[in-house]
Amino acid sequence: DAKTTQPTSMDCAEGRAANLPCNHSTISGNEYVYWYRQIHSQGPQYIIHGLKNNETNEMASLIITEDRKSSTLILPHATLRDTAVYYCIAGSNDYKLSFGAGTTVTVRA
Amino acid sequence: DVKVTQSSRYLVKRTGEKVFLECVQDMDHENMFWYRQDPGLGLRLIYFSYDVKMKEKGDIPEGYSVSREKKERFSLILESASTNQTSMYLCASSSSGGRVGYTFGSGTRLTVV
């Protein structure tokens, strides 16, 4: 898996959009960008993934730069329940994924 | 609702015991994984399996073995439990070529005393 770099922590206000950055400058052509989150004491939860194009689902949007060296996960209207550790991973679903330290996101009222 | 079920949420075992952690998925997924999670170290991959009776070592396989006799079940075995194996153990599954990511279980918090 390509190495990813994320900020250690970030705060955001409830109701506002949360933009979580991730750098993956060594990503290879067939590797996807995955985002997961882990709420305290639970297993990680899959959020979204993409290869080249921007993706959106009911949880979030994923914006991948044209050179694929970085991406941003957008939580459009953050709630207190979105407080979690968010992991950005570059890899393949058919192979092992390496989870780093992630970004601890705290949503404040 | 699709799920990955881990047999125990909390487990306390004695040093030297043989410990079995069970994981069952109901999604007909080909791939299954065992991770452990420790504070400050993130999730580390122990073993994974692409198919029945197949297994591959992850990043930290020492002191562990696995068994996958049926597609839906992936067992992690601690041959002789030690205190440094006290950890949260997470099982996950995924579909080969699937359009969604891993599905994780809720985890087993193992304490070895």
Side-chain angles (χ1 to χ4, degrees):
Chain A
D1 296 349
K3 180 178 168 54
T4 61
T5 304
Q6 300 177 252
T8 304
S9 63
M10 60 184 293
D11 288 359
C12 64
E14 187 178 23
R16 304 294 293 270
N19 297 302
L20 283 62
C22 179
N23 288 321
H24 32 79
S25 58
T26 61
I27 193 169
S28 63
N30 62 349
E31 288 184 318
Y32 287 78
V33 179
Y34 293 88
W35 283 85
Y36 289 78
R37 73 179 183 184
Q38 187 174 23
I39 296 169
H40 184 63
S41 297
Q42 297 182 20
Q45 176 191 24
Y46 164 81
I47 301 173
I48 199 168
H49 76 290
L51 185 62
K52 295 180 186 177
N53 300 321
N54 298 336
E55 302 285 346
T56 295
N57 63 20
E58 64 278 4
M59 292 181 68
S61 295
L62 174 60
I63 309 297
I64 303 173
T65 58
E66 193 168 344
D67 62 9
R68 303 210 325 123
K69 292 184 177 182
S70 65
S71 61
T72 301
L73 180 75
I74 301 171
L75 307 176
H77 304 286
T79 71
L80 299 178
R81 286 191 298 259
D82 291 323
T83 292
V85 178
Y86 287 76
Y87 300 98
C88 169
I89 304 161
S92 169
N93 200 42
D94 288 344
Y95 199 59
K96 58 182 183 178
L97 296 181
S98 296
F99 289 74
T103 297
T104 299
V105 173
T106 303
V107 180
R108 302 192 185 279
Chain B
D1 194 19
V2 295
K3 62 173 62 174
V4 174
T5 303
Q6 295 185 230
S7 53
S8 304
R9 186 79 173 104
Y10 298 95
L11 209 52
V12 180
K13 295 293 181 180
R14 295 195 178 278
T15 301
E17 275 194 79
K18 190 168 187 176
V19 181
F20 293 85
L21 302 183
E22 304 289 345
C23 175
V24 178
Q25 50 94 4
D26 64 1
M27 296 163 283
D28 201 35
H29 281 170
E30 294 81 10
N31 309 320
M32 296 189 75
F33 308 84
W34 275 106
Y35 289 85
R36 65 176 282 179
Q37 185 171 28
D38 302 286
L41 297 177
L43 281 79
R44 293 180 291 168
L45 182 63
I46 304 171
Y47 267 97
F48 58 106
S49 169
Y50 293 132
D51 201 350
V52 176
K53 297 190 185 297
M54 296 188 69
K55 61 185 178 183
E56 289 200 32
K57 294 180 180 179
D59 300 319
I60 51 163
E62 297 78 19
Y64 303 94
S65 62
V66 290
S67 172
R68 192 163 181 205
E69 296 296 317
K70 294 185 178 181
K71 189 176 186 180
E72 67 269 21
R73 186 180 296 270
F74 193 35
S75 304
L76 180 69
I77 304 157
L78 285 67
E79 298 291 343
S80 177
S82 64
T83 55
N84 63 12
Q85 292 178 310
T86 291
S87 185
M88 169 69 85
Y89 289 87
L90 290 156
C91 175
S93 71
S94 72
S95 174
S96 293
R99 293 296 301 160
V100 294
Y102 291 11
T103 300
F104 277 85
S106 298
T108 296
R109 185 164 294 282
L110 172 68
T111 302
V112 182
V113 297

